[in-house]
């Protein structure tokens, strides 16, 4: 099973175990902007509620609590940078779509993707949400969460990233990220691109003209 541990980013010091579960793999995906709460999802395919979203306090008593739990699979939660919202993927429509709910809740739920979407990421000002569409392109959704209602504006494709979907085994599939200004993306890409044909360089070709 995959557990949740922490370690200083400097690499110094030993790991500290935060949470373990004998029945579930645990996939940490996002920390609240104030550093007090960790979002993670479980990976027990045999559970009647599938994959669920949980909260783990990082200060005080580290007792996890359910955040979103349904009969469907909820995965890859991400805090908005302003700490007011959580984006995640859900299979409730029969395929993965990206939804947003308020944090800490309760409240409404807003669908961001149409036609399939997963792996949501936020721009640093919480005004844009990115996700991978089922058709392939990385998408951008203009959003506004400054009030109690979450508004979804234009959703447009950005580029074809050839994202490497590494799946659940040993990974929580952090396969891309975006800079706070939304101008640059770091992507784990596939290595199955067709090989470039070799280049042949012919030297002293003028000698052949004299024969």
């Amino acid at each position: 099973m995959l557990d949740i541990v922490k370690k200083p980013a400097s690499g110094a010091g030993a790991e500290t175990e935060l949470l373990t579960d004998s029945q579930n793999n645990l996939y940490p995906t996002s920390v609240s902007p104030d550093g007090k709460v960790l979002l993670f999802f479980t990976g027990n395919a045999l559970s009647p509620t599938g994959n669920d979203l949980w909260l783990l306090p990082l200060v005080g008593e580290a007792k996890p609590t359910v955040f979103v739990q349904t009969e469907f699979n909820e995965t890859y939660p991400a805090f908005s940078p302003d700490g007011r919202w959580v984006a995640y993927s859900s299979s409730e429509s029969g395929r993965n779509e990206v939804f947003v709910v308020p944090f800490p809740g309760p409240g409404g739920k807003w669908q961001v993707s149409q036609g399939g979407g997963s792996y949501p990421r936020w721009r640093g000002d919480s005004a844009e949400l990115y996700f991978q569409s089922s058709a392939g392109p990385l998408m951008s959704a203009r959003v506004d969460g400054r009030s109690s209602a979450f508004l979804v504006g234009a959703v447009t494709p950005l580029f074809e990233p050839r994202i490497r979907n590494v799946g659940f085994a040993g990974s929580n599939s952090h396969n891309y990220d975006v800079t706070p200004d939304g101008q640059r993306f770091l992507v784990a890409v596939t290595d199955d691109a067709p090989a470039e044909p070799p280049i042949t360089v012919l030297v002293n070709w003028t000698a052949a003209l004299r024969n």
Side-chain angles (χ1 to χ4, degrees):
M1 290 298 171
L2 302 178
D3 303 324
I4 298 177
V5 300
K6 69 175 181 179
K7 186 175 183 177
S10 65
E15 295 179 348
T16 302
E17 186 178 89
L18 294 180
L19 188 64
T20 182
D21 189 323
S22 62
Q23 301 298 318
N24 282 291
N25 285 325
L26 308 177
Y27 300 96
T29 58
S30 186
V31 177
S32 60
D34 60 9
K36 294 182 178 180
V37 181
L38 172 70
L39 266 171
F40 69 95
F41 69 94
T42 54
N44 188 352
L46 300 179
S47 168
T49 59
N51 307 110
D52 303 314
L53 308 187
W54 290 74
L55 302 170
L56 179 66
L58 297 177
V59 295
E61 184 182 3
K63 183 178 181 180
T65 56
V66 171
F67 183 59
V68 179
Q69 185 178 62
T70 71
E71 62 184 296
F72 308 105
N73 291 321
E74 293 86 28
T75 53
Y76 309 107
F79 280 111
S80 62
D82 61 13
R84 301 188 63 234
W85 306 95
V86 170
Y88 65 97
S89 299
S90 173
S91 65
E92 62 187 75
S93 68
R95 62 187 173 192
N96 282 331
E97 298 283 5
V98 173
F99 293 86
V100 170
V101 293
F103 178 80
K109 180 174 67 175
W110 292 265
Q111 184 171 338
V112 177
S113 63
Q114 300 289 337
S118 57
Y119 311 120
R121 297 285 186 273
W122 296 87
R123 197 171 72 189
D125 59 1
S126 302
E128 193 168 11
L129 188 61
Y130 309 99
F131 62 91
Q132 185 183 1
S133 69
S134 296
L138 197 70
M139 307 294 288
S140 163
R142 296 287 181 170
V143 297
D144 187 346
R146 291 173 293 180
S147 67
S148 58
F150 190 82
L151 303 178
V152 180
V155 180
T156 56
L158 294 177
F159 60 94
E160 285 273 4
R162 293 194 300 112
I163 287 179
R164 178 174 178 261
N165 293 317
V166 294
F168 289 97
S171 170
N172 55 26
S173 294
H174 273 176
N175 44 26
Y176 81 94
D177 209 345
V178 59
T179 55
D181 62 4
Q183 296 301 302
R184 291 182 295 174
F185 291 81
L186 180 66
V187 182
V189 299
T190 60
D191 57 2
D192 58 357
E196 294 292 334
I199 297 175
T200 301
V201 179
L202 181 63
V203 297
N204 197 28
W205 58 273
T206 55
L209 300 179
R210 294 194 295 268
N211 295 332

